[in-house]
Amino acid sequence: MAFTQRSEETRTAILTAARRRFAEDGYERATIRAIAADAGIDPSMVMRYYGSKDGLFAAAVDVDLDLPAVGDLPPERRAETLVRHFFALWEGERSSGVLTVLLRSAITNEAAAERMRDVFAGQVGTTLGPSTEEGTVRAALVATQLLGVALCRYILRLPQIVALDTEALVASLAPTVERYLTEPV
Amino acid sequence: MAFTQRSEETRTAILTAARRRFAEDGYERATIRAIAADAGIDPSMVMRYYGSKDGLFAAAVDVDLDLPAVGDLPPERRAETLVRHFFALWEGERSSGVLTVLLRSAITNEAAAERMRDVFAGQVGTTLGPSTEEGTVRAALVATQLLGVALCRYILRLPQIVALDTEALVASLAPTVERYLTEPV
DNA sequence: CGTGTTTGCCAACACTCGTTGGCCTACACT
DNA sequence: AGTGTAGGCCAACGAGTGTTGGCAAACACG
């Protein structure tokens, strides 16, 4: 019952390896065997720690977006703050590809898609202000642009988008996001 | 050697079933057996007609975007025309989910991702005008928004985006696209 | 009508996958 | 030191996969 230090180490080793494999290969092609090999342990240990592949996946995509409360900012600063935070999340070391895991597998795995909708509804929808219907539509429009750029940059790796640095992207995208947040629908 | 009528019928039956399965399940989870069952024939026939699963996939994503020559249009009409054509492509009966196949599998399958980059470079990049470097960057920015909305609407099925009709989406997205086409980078 | 070719199905192979149970080792605690 | 428990590996099962070869039936054509 009590976690020893060693068990906790391999537990996180498995999780790290799982995130990398899920991010690179997607849910279906990431195999328990490969993840275990990366973590330097036996495949059966993965089962003992996380119960099943689904359980491991659920642990791998358990992410906190840690969104800033843009509602407190002056309106003209909200869009830029959001976009900047978005790139910090994707390119940050700490998250280590969780978002890539989530997005990539939300596309082949219905459970992941639902989790993504939940994350969106729960975290994105509310931090943009009171959750009126209009507000969630605005948030969804923002999501189309931000997820689209993540798709092209981190998954499809469109060379023109990969080549741009984040500052140039912020400059291009912030006005779009601002329009979705303010323009009448 | 000469194609009989019956062979051509099952050939397209296989292709139709394959597109549907690939679109719904993605490359990995779409099985030859399921596709064959949908087409009402034996799995081995799929191999005889298309050689391998990869061959079938290549045939399934062989798509012509049929983009309009927006270069001839007055600038203020280009964005709206593009967005409208984009939705017509995705929701049109004729294409029957080819684009969903392409996008969905480009995310787990590296070969599909490269094919997507090729389609983009070959068809999208050039029809937006002379292929200067600035032009391809603009085209890529347009792609982030349009692929993003396709992702949210046809794959993740974000309810707020699914609920909007195409006219409302055109109204929301066209100004964004127009900005990417015109605003200094 | 006879014959060769196409269309199709059946059965199987070789492989990989997630998952399980048994067994050995190393540590913790009294 | 003795003992129970947790950490770890090995071997295997059962299911599902893409793929192949052989054989029956339907067709085309002389």
Side-chain angles (χ1 to χ4, degrees):
Chain A
M1 188 57 69
F3 295 133
T4 72
Q5 185 182 358
R6 220 171 79 234
S7 86
E8 203 60 24
E9 273 174 13
T10 68
R11 198 183 195 82
T12 65
I14 293 173
L15 205 58
T16 305
R19 290 219 175 96
R20 242 197 39 214
R21 283 289 181 174
F22 281 138
E24 272 181 34
D25 302 335
Y27 181 82
E28 337 283 344
R29 307 208 321 189
T31 70
I32 298 269
R33 285 171 161 89
I35 292 170
D38 285 3
I41 46 109
D42 190 85
S44 62
M45 297 306 298
V46 178
M47 309 302 296
R48 194 174 298 189
Y49 278 115
Y50 291 96
S52 69
K53 188 180 182 180
D54 280 327
L56 175 61
F57 178 76
V61 296
D62 186 21
V63 55
D64 181 16
L65 292 188
D66 195 22
L67 290 173
V70 292
D72 302 340
L73 291 175
E76 70 275 11
R77 296 270 312 156
R78 289 179 192 171
E80 189 188 328
T81 305
L82 266 180
V83 177
R84 224 176 272 280
H85 182 81
F86 177 79
F87 282 115
L89 263 178
W90 277 86
E91 312 212 335
E93 287 299 317
R94 194 177 55 79
S95 60
S96 65
V98 202
L99 291 183
T100 311
V101 178
L102 193 54
L103 178 53
R104 179 162 246 151
S105 31
I107 287 156
T108 50
N109 192 280
E110 180 54 28
E114 183 158 348
R115 179 171 275 269
M116 187 130 202
R117 281 191 289 266
D118 288 350
V119 167
F120 172 79
Q123 300 192 37
V124 181
T126 60
T127 53
L128 288 186
S131 52
T132 63
E133 188 188 329
E134 182 195 317
T136 60
V137 171
R138 293 185 185 280
L141 284 172
V142 172
T144 66
Q145 176 60 92
L146 293 187
L147 290 182
V149 78
L151 175 69
C152 293
R153 185 176 173 90
Y154 304 112
I155 294 185
L156 300 182
R157 298 192 207 281
L158 274 188
Q160 291 86 2
I161 300 299
V162 174
L164 295 176
D165 61 16
T166 56
E167 279 309 308
L169 281 170
V170 169
S172 287
L173 300 179
T176 296
V177 173
E178 184 171 351
R179 208 171 55 76
Y180 292 154
L181 290 180
T182 59
E183 202 79 355
V185 229
Chain B
M1 188 60 66
F3 295 133
T4 72
Q5 185 182 356
R6 220 172 78 234
S7 86
E8 203 59 23
E9 272 174 13
T10 70
R11 197 183 196 84
T12 65
I14 293 174
L15 205 59
T16 305
R19 290 219 176 96
R20 241 197 38 213
R21 284 288 182 176
F22 280 137
E24 272 181 33
D25 303 334
Y27 181 83
E28 338 282 345
R29 307 208 321 190
T31 69
I32 298 271
R33 284 172 163 86
I35 292 170
D38 284 4
I41 46 108
D42 190 85
S44 62
M45 297 306 298
V46 178
M47 309 302 297
R48 193 174 293 182
Y49 277 116
Y50 291 96
S52 70
K53 189 181 182 181
D54 279 327
L56 175 61
F57 178 76
V61 296
D62 186 21
V63 55
D64 180 14
L65 292 187
D66 195 21
L67 291 172
V70 294
D72 302 341
L73 292 174
E76 71 274 10
R77 296 271 310 157
R78 289 180 193 171
E80 189 189 328
T81 305
L82 266 179
V83 177
R84 223 176 272 280
H85 183 80
F86 178 80
F87 282 115
L89 264 177
W90 276 85
E91 313 214 334
E93 287 300 318
R94 194 176 54 79
S95 60
S96 65
V98 201
L99 291 182
T100 312
V101 178
L102 192 55
L103 178 53
R104 177 161 246 151
S105 30
I107 288 157
T108 50
N109 192 281
E110 178 55 27
E114 182 159 347
R115 176 171 279 268
M116 186 129 205
R117 283 190 289 265
D118 288 350
V119 167
F120 172 77
Q123 300 191 36
V124 182
T126 60
T127 54
L128 287 186
S131 52
T132 64
E133 188 189 327
E134 183 196 317
T136 60
V137 172
R138 293 184 184 282
L141 283 172
V142 172
T144 66
Q145 176 60 92
L146 293 187
L147 289 183
V149 80
L151 175 69
C152 294
R153 184 175 173 91
Y154 303 112
I155 294 186
L156 300 182
R157 300 190 205 281
L158 274 188
Q160 292 85 0
I161 300 299
V162 174
L164 294 176
D165 61 16
T166 56
E167 280 309 309
L169 281 170
V170 169
S172 287
L173 301 179
T176 297
V177 172
E178 184 170 353
R179 209 172 53 77
Y180 291 154
L181 291 180
T182 59
E183 202 80 354
V185 227

